[in-house]
Amino acid sequence: MANADRRIRVTEYLDLELDREQWMCNRCGHDLGPGRDSYKKGCLLYSRDPREIHVPIVEGKFTFSPDPLWVRIVEFYCPGCGTQIETEYLPPGHPITHDIEIDIDELKRRLDSGELRIKEQRLEVAA
């Protein structure tokens, strides 16, 4: 298979290129780092006060807006094109999560054996 045929859509804006084992922005093709590590390490981060997004709707102690002492919003952007790839709600001080881990060796084995195939950047079971 050619390189273009071994690129898999993982999320709406995130691809995994299997031959190079690289995370990529699927909008601009920017490399986001090794496929065996967290793609978030290759992204630009913006930590937001939750009140910027969830504006208080009433005055007083309970405003229906998240308390920034309890939660922060972290946005992850492609450094190449600025596309927002992911968002996390985390307690302050909590480390960034490692949310996607693919067994690349097993995936390659199953593709090479013909058990799986890639069609239009999607995995499917071979007939």
Side-chain angles (χ1 to χ4, degrees), residues 26-88:
N26 68 34
R27 295 302 188 248
C28 73
H30 188 87
D31 281 344
L32 298 173
R36 295 177 188 269
D37 203 351
S38 176
Y39 65 92
K40 293 175 183 176
K41 291 181 178 180
C43 292
L44 299 174
L45 279 70
Y46 180 39
S47 186
R48 304 211 29 204
D49 183 324
R51 295 170 297 190
E52 294 175 13
I53 297 167
H54 304 285
V55 180
I57 56 175
V58 296
E59 290 187 32
K61 186 175 180 181
F62 300 104
T63 65
F64 296 99
S65 180
D67 185 337
L69 296 175
W70 288 87
V71 68
R72 67 184 173 133
I73 299 172
V74 182
E75 298 171 342
F76 300 86
Y77 293 91
C78 171
C81 65
T83 296
Q84 186 175 348
I85 295 174
E86 183 62 85
T87 304
E88 287 189 351

Side-chain angles (χ1 to χ4, degrees), residues 3-45:
N3 277 356
D5 296 333
R6 303 235 329 164
R7 189 168 164 172
I8 298 169
R9 178 73 36 92
V10 177
T11 69
E12 187 175 2
Y13 301 111
L14 184 66
D15 288 350
L16 177 63
E17 204 291 314
L18 282 173
D19 293 319
R20 294 186 310 115
E21 297 185 4
Q22 286 288 313
W23 291 113
M24 300 176 69
C25 170
N26 68 34
R27 295 302 188 248
C28 73
H30 188 87
D31 281 344
L32 298 173
R36 295 177 188 269
D37 203 351
S38 176
Y39 65 92
K40 293 175 183 176
K41 291 181 178 180
C43 292
L44 299 174
L45 279 70

Side-chain angles (χ1 to χ4, degrees), residues 72-121:
R72 67 184 173 133
I73 299 172
V74 182
E75 298 171 342
F76 300 86
Y77 293 91
C78 171
C81 65
T83 296
Q84 186 175 348
I85 295 174
E86 183 62 85
T87 304
E88 287 189 351
Y89 284 64
L90 297 169
H94 192 282
I96 301 297
T97 61
H98 185 110
D99 60 340
I100 299 174
E101 188 167 340
I102 295 175
D103 186 341
I104 293 174
D105 296 326
E106 180 65 10
L107 180 54
K108 285 181 175 182
R109 185 196 67 73
R110 292 177 73 184
L111 285 164
D112 292 342
S113 75
E115 179 184 350
L116 299 175
R117 66 179 175 209
I118 301 171
K119 183 178 178 184
E120 298 175 5
Q121 295 187 327

